[in-house]
Amino acid sequence: MIKLFDNGAYLINGKELIESHTDVEKEIKQKYGIEAISKEEAAKNTIAYSILEAHNTSGNMDQLKIKFDAMASHDITYVGIIQTARASGLTEFPLPYVLTNCHNSLCAVGGTINEDDHMFGLSAAKKYGGIYVPAHQAVIHQYMREMMSGCGRMLLGSDSHTRYGALGTMAIGEGGGELAKQLLNKTYDINRPGVVAVYLTGKPQIGIGPQDVALSIIGEVFKNGYVKNKVMEFVGDGIKNLNVEYRNGIDVMTTETTCLSSIWATDEKVEEYLEMHGRKEAYKKLEPGQVTYYDGAIIVDLSKVKPMIAMPFHPSNTYTIEELNANLEDILAKVEKEAAASFASNKVTFTLRDKIENGKLLVQQAFIGGCAGGTYDNICDAADILRGHSIGSGEFALSIYPSSQPTFMSLVKNGAVADLMAAGATMRTAFCGPCFGAGDVPSNNGLSIRHATRNFPNREGSKPSDGQISGVALMDARSIAATALNGGILTAATEIDLNFTKPKYFFDKAIYDTRCYDGVGKADKDVELKFGPNITDWPKMSHLTDDLLIKVVAEIHDEVTTTDELIPSGETSSYRSNPLRLAEFTLSRRVPDYVGHAKEVQQAEVARLQGEDPTKVLDEVKVAFDQIKALPGYASIDPKATGIGSTIYANKPGDGSAREQAASCQKVLGGWANIAREYATKRYRSNLINWGMVPFTLDGDLPFTNGDYIFIPGIRATVKDKVSEIKAYVLGDHMKEFTLILKDLTDDERAIILAGCLINYYKA
C-alpha cells in the first residue's frame, strides 16, 4: 500500500510519477512531447517552492529568510515567548498572533497559576494586539484551520503539530525562540528544504480513517529518515476521494515523520471549506507545474490501506490490526522487551500479554480528541458505530473531546453527542490534556487506545520514577469505536457492519465572536500585563567563553530520545511560566538523578560569574583544571574565565514536541551543550541554539562516559571563525583527545551562541 522511490522523481501534469534516471529528460520528451527541463528548474514547480519564494526576504532561494503571515501558541509556551520578546524589546505584535488555552492544566496541581497564565495572555493580547482564545473554546490547530488558514499562506506555531497543509497553508512548528524572532521583526532562517511528493491514489475502504493512512506512512518513513526536515507535498488523483476533514487528519500526523512542513494540492472541496468558515477569499487553486521535480516520492494506494495500530511507545511502531491480532503473543512480547530496555533505570514493569483474554487483546481505556482525533467527521463516524449500543460497565472507558466549540455545537445539533453519551462515552470540551498527560491518565500498567498524535513513553501522564507506567496505542476513531462496541476487545472497524450517515457540518462563528478577543491592529500600550506569582523572568545567562569545561551528567543510548523525556509534559506544565521550577523536572522520568548532578556542577559556574574561584567550590572542578594545565599552552588557564557547566549525550535527541523547554530547562540548570550522533528534528537543534547551547555531533566510538569531564579549548573562536570541527579532551587519569563536530550554523545562529542565548543577542 506504500511505495518509496529510491531516487528523486518527476511528476508530469500532476498525474504520473517517473523515477529519476540517467535518460529521464529524454523519456519525458518522447512520452509526453515536453521539451527537456533541468532538474533545477523542475524543482521550482513544486507548490512548496512557490509559497517559500513568496515569503522569502533574502533574495536567495537557497538560503531562506522567511516572514510568516500569522503565528499561534498555546498556554504551555506563550508566556515564555512573550517574556523572551519583552526582554528583547517587544513593543507590538507585528503580525496576527493567536494565543490559545487548550493546554490548560486545570486537573494538575499548582493553585492559581494556570489561570494566572491565561490572564497574562489576555492582557498581552490587549497590550500588543493579538488574538486570545479562552480555555475550552478550541484546540490550537482547529482554531487555526477554521480561522487563520489560507491557500498560499505560511503560519508558524510553537507546537510541533502546526500543520495546515491540506488547506493550502504551509505551516511549521518550532520552539518559542523562533516565534520571538518574528515578534521582533526578524526572520526564520533555513536552507531551502527538499520536497518529497506524497502521491495519493485510489479510495479508502469503508471503515478506514485518516489515522490509518497516516500511521501507514509514518511506519514506512520515520526510521529511515526519508522525509526528515523536508516538505511533504501531497498530490495525486486520490485527493479528490477525501473530504477536507479526512485530509486534515492525515496532514496533522505528518509531524511524526520528522518532516519540516506539508502542503497539499487544493480543489473545490477546500474552497467550500473556507467559504463555510466565512473566508472564501482565502482560497486559490494550488497545484504543481507541468513538469515538477521532487527529491523523493511516496506512493500511497488508499484502497489498500488497512486498519492500523501504533503500539507503545512510538507512532512509527506500526502494525495492521489484523497482523497484531494474528500474532498477539509475539508482538506484545517484543513491545514488552523494548519497554524493559527503555525503563531499566526506573525499575518499572510494563506488561501487555496479561491483557490477552481468550486469545483477544483487551484494552482498558480509549480517547478520541485533540487536533488529530477531535474533528467533526471522526466523531460523527464513531457515533454511527455506537448508536444504540453500549460500551459496557467494565474497566473499559471512552472519552471524546471535540476539537472546538463550533464542532461541539454541530455535534450537539445533529444528535451525535446524545448517541455517544447514551452508549456510555464521556463528552468533554476542547482540551489537549490527554495528548500531553494532563487528563484521562490510564491506570498503572493499563493500555489506552487513542486517536491522538503521540504515544511516547510517559506522554499519557504516568511517572516511571514513582513506579508507574502505562501505555498508549494509536488508532483511528472508527476502530476505537468498533473496539468500544466490543467492550474493549481490540477490533478493526472493517470487521463490523458500518453505515456512516455523514451529516452535514454547520460552522457557527458567533461562538468565537462571543468569547474570543481579537485585538489585531488595536495594540494598547497603556494596558498593564497581569503577572501571577508563578510568572517569572528568565534568569541571566552568560556569553560563551573562550574555553569550556563541561561534565557529562546524562548518557542515553536509546535509538531516539523524545522531548517529552527531556522535559515531561502533564502536571509539570503547571510550572511552564517559571523557568527555575520547571527545570526541576528535566529528565525526571528518564534520568532521575540528572537535575541533582547538573545543579552540583552549576555551583562552580555561579561562583565564577560572581568573581569567585570555582575550583574552591567543587573539588572535582579543581582536579579537572589541574589536568587541563598539563595541556600545551594551558598551564596558566584562568578558571574564572572558563565556562563551567553540564552536557548530556543522547544518540538522537529531540523527536517530538516543539516545546523549547526541552532545551531551556537544561540551560537554566547550567547546560552548555548537547552531544549527539544526530538531532531528530531541526526544531530541537534550533531550540538548543536559541538558548545558547552548542549542538555538537560526534562520529565513531563514544570516548567518554557519564560523569566524565570534557575540556573544549578554543570553543568561542571555533564558533566565531566558522570552523566545523574542534578538538576536545576527556579528562581523567588517561586524558583522551577526540573530535566534536559543529556544522551547518547560520551567521545569526553563531552570533546567538556567542551571546549566550537569543535574549542576550537581541539585547546587544
Side-chain angles (χ1 to χ4, degrees), residues 426-543:
T426 303
M427 298 299 299
R428 320 243 191 206
T429 53
F431 176 40
C432 294
C435 292
F436 72 101
D440 283 289
V441 179
S443 62
N444 185 50
N445 204 45
L447 177 63
S448 179
I449 53 173
R450 301 185 169 196
H451 193 148
T453 52
R454 291 199 171 121
N455 60 339
F456 294 163
N458 331 129
R459 178 87 177 190
E460 81 301 331
S462 63
K463 300 179 183 178
S465 57
D466 290 345
Q468 306 169 13
I469 185 64
S470 52
V472 166
L474 301 183
M475 286 170 50
D476 187 80
R478 292 144 195 84
S479 290
I480 290 173
T483 300
L485 189 68
N486 285 339
I489 296 172
L490 187 69
T491 306
T494 51
E495 296 177 31
I496 62 174
D497 291 331
L498 300 171
N499 178 29
F500 293 136
T501 58
K502 298 296 182 184
K504 184 175 176 59
Y505 174 59
F506 295 94
F507 174 73
D508 185 357
K509 183 175 177 290
I511 295 171
Y512 290 149
D513 292 338
T514 299
R515 285 292 297 133
C516 300
Y517 174 80
D518 186 349
V520 175
K522 298 181 288 186
D524 184 353
K525 64 180 181 180
D526 294 327
V527 170
E528 294 291 331
L529 292 176
K530 290 191 175 182
F531 288 90
N534 191 58
I535 299 175
T536 61
D537 292 331
W538 291 105
K540 290 183 179 180
M541 300 174 192
S542 61
H543 63 78

Side-chain angles (χ1 to χ4, degrees), residues 660-672:
E660 69 274 15
Q661 290 101 324
S664 66
C665 284
Q666 295 176 56
K667 181 70 171 184
V668 166
L669 293 169
W672 270 114

Side-chain angles (χ1 to χ4, degrees), residues 718-719 722-723 742 745-755:
T718 295
V719 174
K722 304 182 182 181
V723 179
L742 188 58
L745 290 172
T746 68
D747 289 347
D748 280 354
E749 287 174 338
R750 292 179 187 278
I752 291 168
I753 291 173
L754 292 171

Side-chain angles (χ1 to χ4, degrees), residues 75-76 79 103-117 436-438 533-535 568-579 581-582 585 659 661:
D75 46 336
I76 281 184
V79 175
H103 284 58
N104 64 95
S105 303
L106 295 174
C107 58
V109 297
T112 70
I113 59 179
N114 181 76
E115 194 65 10
D116 289 345
D117 285 355
F436 72 101
N534 191 58
I535 299 175
S569 53
E571 72 176 69
T572 63
S573 298
S574 297
Y575 304 105
R576 60 211 171 197
S577 304
N578 188 322
R581 291 189 73 181
L582 183 64
F585 295 95
R659 284 177 293 129
Q661 290 101 324

